[in-house]
Amino acid sequence: MAAGDAWYFDAASAEPLHPSGRDALLTALDDGWADPARLHRDGRRAQLLLDQAREAVAAEIGCHPDEVSFTGSGTQAVHLAVLGAVQARQSASRGPGHVVTSAVEHSAVLNAADWLHRVTGTAVSSTGVDHLGRADIGEFAAAVRRDRTLLACLQSANHEVGTLQPVAAAAAECQRASVPLLVDAGASAGRLPVPGGWSLLAASARKWGGPAGVGVLAVRRSTRWRPPFPSDDREGRRVPGFPNVPGVLAAAASLTAVITERATSDTALRALVARIRAAVPRLVPDSVVYGDPDDRLPHVVTFSCLYVDGEALVTELDRAGFSVSSGSACVADTRQPSHVLAAMGALTHGNVRVSLPRGASDQAVSAFLEALPPIVAAIRQTVRARPASNPPSTGKSSAEVTA
Amino acid sequence: MTPSQRPGIRRSALGLRPPAASVASAELVPQPSLTLDALGKKCPIPIIMLADRIRDVPIGQVIEVLADDPAAKTDLPAWCTLKSQEFVRAADLPVGWSFLIRRTY
């Protein structure tokens, strides 16, 4: 459905497969089905495709190909990175050790840290963020301790509000303390250059327009890492099991293509996001736009509407043809509000995340901005919200108060 | 906006203060002029109830909201920041929390 495709605004969950990735996938289904570990010609052909993909990904993230392994998902990459790095550094003298994360990491990072805490007794420090969702680098650095911290984790950019994180500063602090740094680049890989300074890096192909079922785990040669699960000789002994060669090749082809197109797509998406950021507080009373207005992902914008049920908002937008996600508790499987919005002190109800796919059009954004205000007004009417009280006029809009 | 303009956000979102039962803190806790029972109600209903009723207490006085939806822990302080009302404190109840908000205008 053309209109439906044009109004898909959940690219931060899954970007539609890039045509280059689709071509590569179809080719590799024919050419890369054999076991790359075998010495026969079909196996060698699969291995050649896998090597090409690894070189392309390594070039983009700035490392040696043998530092790159492909996983079954971004989440699996994160879990392997956290568990493998921590368990390699645990020792009788160090004990279960300590892990530092920001409070707004992806749940994959937080779940892995929590698992270590429950299973091995590893202490976990979750450090705070400001109202834009940016990690407090002072608090982060103070939590990283040379004598006990085994791993520090910081995302490249926040997946819910788009704010970029101070990875360079975190890397400098970690280097000073001789603590490895995991950078979860899931939200930004392919869309922005990968920041340097990491010891371990994780990413997910579906977020840059690759296929589902492909993640990237990179471990520097100088970083200690040990397989946390039973291992075999696949993927540098980091990821056991038969690799998804067609998927990996498609992921690499998509990555190469989106990087080539980045110069133009970045500018176009930023302009559309800026338009939404400016228009929503003007068109929807009692709405707030979150995240850094400038130092941000090109394609993500998040806002909350007071007195509106997030589930109703997502449902009504879907009926009107717009696919968006939400950090509101009623939309989450866990029925918990977004930990990102909570850590920022942001409003969690009535929340909408718009994340624009490549090629998102001005018309699609216009249609969204036209549809949103009456949908919000209708939901507010159903819950009989009275016109909200407003603070004494300061000449500021609600958006300016927090964003 | 500086963190000092967001009273109570981190405290309330990431770790509630102890219950009001403590004798030492009891004197410091203002008595609410009005209590709204939003227990069992999902966000945004507690926020809507607060917005509807805050004008029923005099300026400078405190209104109490009882709620047990986890989103209220974040959203009541966030509403106060947006609306320039003063979030006084949150305290644990056997089920849910008591939130105190002072009407500033």
Side-chain angles (χ1 to χ4, degrees), chain A residues 103 128-131 136 139 286 288 290 306-310 329-330 335-338 341-349 383-392 398 400-403, chain B residues 1-3 5-6 9-10 12-14 42-56 69-85 97 104-105:
Chain A
V129 298
D130 66 12
H131 68 285
D136 179 335
E139 193 183 331
D286 285 315
V288 198
Y290 289 112
L306 266 176
Y307 317 124
V308 170
D309 174 353
C330 45
R335 315 308 280 181
Q336 292 288 321
S338 148
L341 297 173
M344 291 167 58
L347 206 61
T348 68
H349 72 258
V383 291
R384 298 175 190 284
R386 290 208 312 233
S389 61
N390 277 303
S398 61
E400 289 170 311
V401 173
T402 41
Chain B
M1 190 181 63
T2 66
Q5 289 170 277
R6 311 183 286 129
I9 283 177
R10 277 224 181 128
S12 60
L14 302 179
K42 295 289 171 202
C43 274
I45 303 297
I47 313 287
I48 292 171
M49 291 171 67
L50 172 62
D52 277 355
R53 298 296 301 278
I54 192 161
R55 290 189 186 287
D56 295 350
D69 182 357
K73 281 197 288 184
T74 298
D75 286 13
L76 281 157
W79 181 88
C80 290
T81 304
L82 290 174
K83 294 297 178 184
S84 303
Q85 302 288 3
W97 306 272
T104 60
Y105 62 91

Side-chain angles (χ1 to χ4, degrees), chain A residues 93-105:
Chain A
S93 59
R94 265 206 189 98
H98 174 232
V99 170
V100 176
T101 75
S102 85
V104 298
E105 295 301 305

Side-chain angles (χ1 to χ4, degrees), chain A residues 4 28 62 73 77 81 203 211 221 239 246 251 254 275 294 303 305 310 316 371 378:
Chain A
S73 67
R221 288 170 175 174
V239 189
S254 296
R275 198 178 150 208
D294 302 309
F303 58 88
C305 304
E316 288 306 312

